[in-house]
Amino acid sequence: MKTDLTIVGGGAAGLAAALSAIDPQLNILIIEREPRLGGILNQCIHNGFGLHMFQEELTGPEYANRFIEALKDKHIDILLGTTVIDIQKKTDFEITLTSEANGYQHLTSKAVIIASGCYERTRGAVQIPGERPKGIMPAGSAQRYLNMEGYLVGKRVFILGSGDIGLIMARRMTLEGAQVLGVAELMPYSNGLTRNIVQCLNDFDIPLYLSHTVTDIKGKDILEQITIQQVDDKFEPIPGTEKVFEVDTLLLSIGLIPDVGLFDSLQMKKSPITKSAIVDQTLMTNVEGLFVCGNALHVHDLVDWVSKEGEKAGKTAKAYLLEQKHEEKDLKSIAPGSNIRYVVPHLIDYNHLTEPIQCAFRVTKKMAQGQFKVVQNGEVILLKKAKHIAPAEMENLIIKPEDLKSKDPIEIHLEEIV
Amino acid sequence: MKELTCIVCPVGCHLSVDESLKVVGNRCPRGEKYAIVEMTSPKRMITTTVRTTFEDCPRLSVKTKEPVPKSLMFDILATLEGIVVEKNVKIGDVIVADACHTGVDIIATKSISSQGVNL
Amino acid sequence: MKDYIVIGSGIIGALITRTLSKYQVSVLVIDKENDISSHQTIANSAIIHSGHDPKPGSLKARLCVEGNAMYDTLEHELAIPLLRTGAYVVAHNNFEEQMLQELHQRAKQNGVLGTYFLSGDEARKVEPRLSETITKVLSLPSTKVTFPWEVSIHAISNAIKNGAEFKRNAHVISIKKVEDHFVLHLKDGTTLESKHVINAAGVMSDLIARMIEENPEFEIKPRKGEYFVLDRKAVGLFNHVIYPLPTKAGKGVLIVPQTHGNILLGPTSYEISDREDESTSREGMKYIKEHLKALSNQIPFDMIIRNFAGVRATSTYEDFYIQESKTYKGFYHVAGIDSPGLTAAPAIAKYLVEEVIRIDLPMKPDFDPIHQPIPLFHTLCDVQKQIEIQKHPKHGHLVCKCEKVTEQDIINAIHSPTGNDTIKGIKKRARAGAGLCQGGYCESEVLKIIARETKVKPNEVNYYAKNTPILVKETKTK
């Protein structure tokens, strides 16, 4: 098999990438491991998706359907129930696929977009002490069992982490007859959208314990009890603040991590912060012709931004494929400065800078008001004020080519306005 | 006196409303309106699932077409308990008409058919 | 009526069962849990020690050195993984170097071969992440690492092939001597009968002993050990087992490369009162991180995927207690098997059968020592993969992408003679869920496959023990 562009993943990012890469001269292939397109949107049956893309509120399956409908009768091949197990870069990309229907298959592709999404952080990653009974699982797993298979994983539930999936699951499980006893968040602020705190917790009188974490788990075979404790500013539990809950389920909503584990043979350069590829403004990695987008690149707060990033990757991959000769890159860093955790893209390629650079980034601190400063050679070249800045929300900033004063590295800083 | 968090925009104002529906804490008029609606006739979208007989899709996702009175949430959910979808469904098809006499239909948010989902 | 019942299917019970299955006797191995090897065998350091540490002249010293050598045979017979890492014991100053000399003497007395010293710099050339403060290293080349519960499962599979039987969920609550045999009463109300009984019940072994005699010569003083597991992508960061100098409490906090590429860090060692308390603690995790500093400053703690604890069956007897009951002939205790119990296990089985029981029966003429498991798909070469996938198209469906486990691998794990029908049982056999995402990605698929293959409803699939369903209530069923 041979193709021009292979898109790994048929979820929000991959679908948008495919749509924007369509061109009569290009053969495009989407590879999706599930038997249906849509990715994680299929299990996100709640509404609130699409305000930025479609100016209306859709459920996850409806949002996915907009893209799936748009792909119909287009010049795009789709392989469902198929997993990419290896990609090697020779002259072209040599991709190994596996599926029950076709066994092992080999594919050659001129460019690749990785849009494989993310996975949920686990108990092991945050090292929650205690026993290891059944009944402890990532919130997204419980969501899949409930919304796709039709089963509750428990009847008395506590949730660690105020990420949106956990909040959404608090409501979903309540509506299906479970009792949710509370949500504990390590940070002094919620990591979910205010809307979800109000409509998923307050509506059902589910308490949110800020600056709290789970410090003990009891139950040999089945979860019986958890203990939460307040933490100090170094996240150390404060003795005497223990609260005990008799529960059969502990859902974890403690963060997402880009899932690029199957692509080690590509030797992508990775960022230790985002745990995924380092890219330039075209979303190309250090491997020529390899692009990464969506939650496989960095974890987004809204699916709309995932789709937009997918669109970007599709467009730039198309341009890359249609362009006849590829100039050398002139790469300089876009570094996270004060109060900024990371910036994507990590690099500017000055030799391919034709369009505004869409920077997405996360801050390290909650601020009522602040200003973002883009600095080049010690000089502020762009300033943007913002209100209600929070680590849970992804920030955006557009740098136009004419904003740049030279071909030197730039930094993005956040300064608090008191 | 009732405490609310405004969800109209990301600011999240902390609102207080008394019995005479006087709102304080809002930084814009939209907050006042939100608080009064929340106090007098709060509405919510319901998203949930119904049972199907399709082996590869045992549950079909559905939603209320419009927000419905918050107080009727559990009553509306109860009407879905006995529903079993046995035939092909297209996204937007009405699964329950006029749920609990609210005038709001419950519609499918996914298409399912014997040829599989998404078709 | 059996000739032999072995209580406990940990690695000790498993290898005893296999050793007995060589003879013309009927053997049944029972376990109170829902699977083979559910406690000490699945929660230890996985090291085949050289034998440098036990007190010279002890049974521990003898059986450790013998057991270490026997693993080379087991590797071929039972197709178990063996990582020939060798080990370094590190010293940081003159005082510790002196202790290292003493340890070396002890190793030589115990018959450990091939040992030698390296300077700190020489050791860092081989293991560049070793701490700069290390001045001298004792190298123990015969140290190896295995995959303990696979040894058990393969040993019992081989024993079954040679006529033995395995019974799970068989929780012994009392034992009576009736005429010439023993009657074992189980929690479910049933009984088992056997002419001989071998107590290999690990942390429960003194409780079993007390069912037939008033004052056993040993009492279990359980000691807990907590560990961290690093993701398999940490492979190669350390290639040797790294030990600090041993203390009375044990071998200390170690760095142990594992057979699947992961690296194990730990354990702690402290006495506990509840012998089934396998909980981890904040203090334990801090202790491990603190003590690792003496070995290396370059341990990527952000690659931790799991923490766990195991309980060691340390006894008041100090040495392994492998003896016939003083009250009843035909009842044997294999107790107090703490470190180096895993290493000694094959030698313990041989010692029990040949020197304690002194079995005086002919061997089965058709005894087959070889167990050939169906290999996991990802371990095959490309040509074999092509052949297998033709035969079994479900190898085409990759279920667990962290550990590259296919649907057919899972089906094989369910249906093998020592198979298991639980989420954790499948993880133990096929490794689905043992990787970076810890099953977040594949658990729901594994569950569906188990339900289909064992013809039960999804909410009847257990996490591990009986009555531990992952799914507790179906929605919309009114």
Side-chain angles (χ1 to χ4, degrees), chain A residues 171 174-175 195-206, chain B residues 2-5 7 34-47 64 66-78 99-100 102 104:
Chain A
R171 175 173 63 187
T174 306
L175 293 181
R195 177 176 71 190
N196 287 335
I197 300 286
V198 171
Q199 297 202 346
C200 299
L201 300 188
N202 300 359
D203 266 7
F204 305 100
D205 298 320
I206 298 167
Chain B
K2 170 109 179 153
E3 305 287 326
L4 296 171
T5 306
I7 58 166
Y34 170 79
I36 291 168
V37 171
E38 272 297 287
M39 291 303 288
T40 53
S41 58
K43 287 190 171 169
R44 296 289 184 268
M45 289 289 291
I46 301 177
T47 57
T64 52
E66 309 282 335
V68 291
K70 190 178 153 189
S71 56
L72 289 176
M73 239 192 302
F74 283 94
D75 294 327
I76 291 172
L77 284 162
C100 291
T102 53
V104 177

Side-chain angles (χ1 to χ4, degrees), chain C residues 91-109:
Chain C
H92 296 82
N93 49 46
N94 284 342
F95 175 70
E96 288 190 0
E97 287 186 21
Q98 188 58 44
M99 287 171 69
L100 207 59
Q101 290 289 354
E102 287 166 24
L103 194 66
H104 187 223
Q105 284 310 314
R106 201 191 302 179
K108 282 210 281 197
Q109 261 181 288

Side-chain angles (χ1 to χ4, degrees), chain A residues 25-37:
Chain A
Q25 293 181 56
L26 297 181
N27 290 315
I28 301 172
L29 171 66
I30 302 177
I31 300 169
E32 168 55 48
R33 60 162 248 124
E34 295 270 342
R36 59 189 73 113
L37 291 171

Side-chain angles (χ1 to χ4, degrees), chain C residues 32 52 72 100 163 255 259 291 337 379 424 478:
Chain C
K32 77 177 169 66
H52 64 290
D72 294 328
L100 207 59
I255 299 172
T259 55
H291 281 74
I337 313 295
T379 62
K424 191 168 164 187
K478 271 175 208 160

Side-chain angles (χ1 to χ4, degrees), chain C residues 18-55:
Chain C
R18 177 178 182 250
T19 304
L20 285 170
S21 77
K22 292 178 183 175
Y23 298 92
Q24 293 184 1
V25 292
S26 58
V27 192
L28 169 67
V29 55
I30 61 174
D31 203 292
K32 77 177 169 66
E33 304 294 352
N34 198 16
D35 194 9
I36 295 167
S37 294
S38 299
H39 294 289
Q40 212 175 338
T41 304
I42 60 164
N44 61 74
S45 305
I47 304 171
I48 310 300
H49 299 284
S50 64
H52 64 290
D53 182 31
K55 203 165 114 192

